[in-house]
Amino acid sequence: MGVSDSLGGGLSLLTGMEKGVKRWLVDISQWEPSPDEFTSAVSVLPQHEHHSIWRFIKLEDKKRALVSRLLQYALVHEVLQIPFDAIIIKRTVEGKPYLETSKVVTEIPNFNFNASHHGDYVAIASEPLCIVGLDIVSYVVPEKETIAGFMQNFAIYFSSFEWASITNAGTSDEMLSAFYRYWSLKEAFVKAVGTGLGYRLDKVEFHHTNWTNISVKIDGLESREWKFWLSELKNVHWVTVARGHPSYATESYKRMLKRTEYEEEEFRFGLQLPNVDFVLKTVEQLILLARSRKKTSATTKKNIYEVQKS
């Protein structure tokens, strides 16, 4: 059975699947809340999410944690139309977030998402069929050691080919830039499969043409089951999106996905879906959305209760 038969086929399938391809981005440097404003913003999230925000000491870390969760709830609500108070987001034993739901959307057979934050930005990406990984990295010059010394600490995570590409990139700044880009690609890959940095990163080798047409070799073999996009953001940040076959997911993550096995034609359809640009959101928009949806849900529950009483 081909993709056209199994999922409905044609333009309607493409349009439906594309609804599950989302890329959202927030510049948290533009949000400077007062203590009361921040507390109020946290309150729009479910109670069980609060500790994951308040456990941080620095305000910037709290902001990143808050916005990451606001993005997750807002994106799930928009794509799947699940009410905010019915959204249940859990994490695998390795820490990868996933949506727990019995809702099945035919044109989005394997909805999953991934969030990332570093520096000024917090982002989220989602996919309807393939697994998705996302990583943001900010260009930070080490203060207590040389650039060469800093990079050397991570040399074991790169293949000999990648390391040569980094060390031959040019000036110290150009080498550090290449280092961060390769690192972001590797992070996006391991975040897609749902494992941590314990993965043999030196066995995941990236090739590119001026950081486009990016391909990957896994254990020395080129994989045609992955696509990567690396983009530069303002203030020298980079963001990488990884899209790959669900069969690469960790066992714990596979159990949380709707499907992990696909016929070749069906998988290729999902892999070749158009990538989309990141849409810039503001924290204020996310907070307003969460509040309005919670208010709507509360009103609906009240109306149901009044009907039942009568």
Side-chain angles (χ1 to χ4, degrees):
M1 182 182 292
V3 63
S4 297
D5 298 319
S6 61
L7 291 180
L11 183 61
S12 61
L13 169 61
L14 177 62
T15 302
M17 272 206 176
E18 285 183 335
K19 292 178 181 178
V21 181
K22 297 292 184 184
R23 313 282 189 259
W24 290 357
L25 183 74
V26 176
D27 182 353
I28 61 169
S29 69
Q30 301 300 309
W31 186 49
E32 295 294 339
S34 68
D36 287 345
E37 287 172 336
F38 189 86
T39 299
S40 177
V42 173
S43 70
V44 305
L45 290 171
Q47 184 65 40
H48 70 269
E49 295 281 15
H50 294 189
H51 173 71
S52 61
I53 298 165
W54 292 118
R55 67 189 179 92
F56 291 103
I57 303 300
K58 295 181 179 179
L59 176 60
E60 291 304 301
D61 292 329
K62 292 178 182 177
K63 285 167 60 175
R64 294 185 187 103
L66 168 63
V67 175
S68 174
R69 282 154 181 80
L70 286 172
L71 281 170
Q72 292 173 45
Y73 281 83
L75 187 141
V76 168
H77 172 74
E78 175 164 316
V79 176
L80 300 181
Q81 295 300 300
I82 299 176
F84 263 64
D85 60 354
I87 294 173
I88 301 174
I89 295 175
K90 294 186 175 181
R91 282 167 175 74
T92 65
V93 292
E94 294 88 1
K96 184 173 175 69
Y98 66 91
L99 176 67
E100 183 175 88
T101 179
S102 58
K103 183 172 184 177
V104 177
V105 181
T106 303
E107 65 271 24
I108 309 177
N110 215 24
F111 176 76
N112 68 113
F113 59 87
N114 199 219
S116 180
H117 51 74
H118 197 219
D120 294 340
Y121 292 99
V122 183
I124 192 169
S126 68
E127 286 289 328
L129 188 150
C130 295
I131 52 176
V132 62
L134 178 68
D135 184 69
I136 294 177
V137 63
S138 170
Y139 183 93
V140 178
V141 178
E143 297 180 352
K144 297 182 179 180
E145 56 187 329
T146 65
I147 288 177
F150 167 75
M151 294 192 306
Q152 189 62 46
N153 296 327
F154 301 89
I156 60 171
Y157 299 113
F158 296 91
S159 71
S160 57
F161 169 82
E162 292 171 329
W163 192 246
S165 298
I166 292 170
T167 55
N168 293 319
T171 66
S172 293
D173 285 339
E174 289 169 332
M175 286 191 291
L176 189 58
S177 172
F179 167 86
Y180 280 130
R181 294 186 204 200
Y182 274 116
W183 188 260
S184 184
L185 287 166
K186 290 175 181 285
E187 282 265 18
F189 174 84
V190 298
K191 291 183 68 179
V193 301
T195 187
L197 291 180
Y199 197 98
R200 285 293 304 275
L201 292 182
D202 59 313
K203 299 297 184 181
V204 183
E205 179 180 280
F206 289 94
H207 295 254
H208 61 87
T209 304
N210 295 322
W211 301 104
T212 62
N213 300 319
I214 301 168
S215 61
V216 64
K217 287 184 177 181
I218 301 172
D219 290 324
L221 299 176
E222 183 176 357
S223 174
R224 299 187 180 278
E225 297 182 317
W226 287 89
K227 282 186 171 293
F228 298 87
W229 295 270
L230 189 150
S231 308
E232 186 168 1
L233 305 173
K234 292 192 304 180
N235 302 324
V236 202
H237 292 65
W238 291 279
V239 58
T240 298
V241 177
R243 174 193 283 170
H245 199 294
S247 63
Y248 282 85
T250 60
E251 290 304 315
S252 64
Y253 189 40
K254 282 180 181 178
R255 291 193 291 270
M256 309 309 164
L257 295 170
K258 296 295 183 185
R259 293 176 61 189
T260 58
E261 299 298 331
Y262 292 90
E263 292 185 13
E264 182 67 13
E265 184 184 3
E266 189 176 356
F267 165 67
R268 291 292 160 192
F269 194 93
L271 186 66
Q272 300 298 335
L273 285 171
N275 190 38
V276 297
D277 293 333
F278 277 89
V279 175
L280 192 62
K281 303 282 186 178
T282 67
V283 182
E284 290 82 2
Q285 287 174 329
L286 298 175
I287 294 171
L288 181 61
L289 175 65
R291 282 185 176 143
S292 64
R293 294 300 178 267
K294 286 184 70 174
K295 184 177 180 180
T296 300
S297 178
T299 301
T300 301
K301 288 181 179 179
K302 181 180 179 181
N303 291 339
I304 292 174
Y305 177 70
E306 293 296 334
V307 170
Q308 289 175 338
K309 281 181 63 180
S310 62

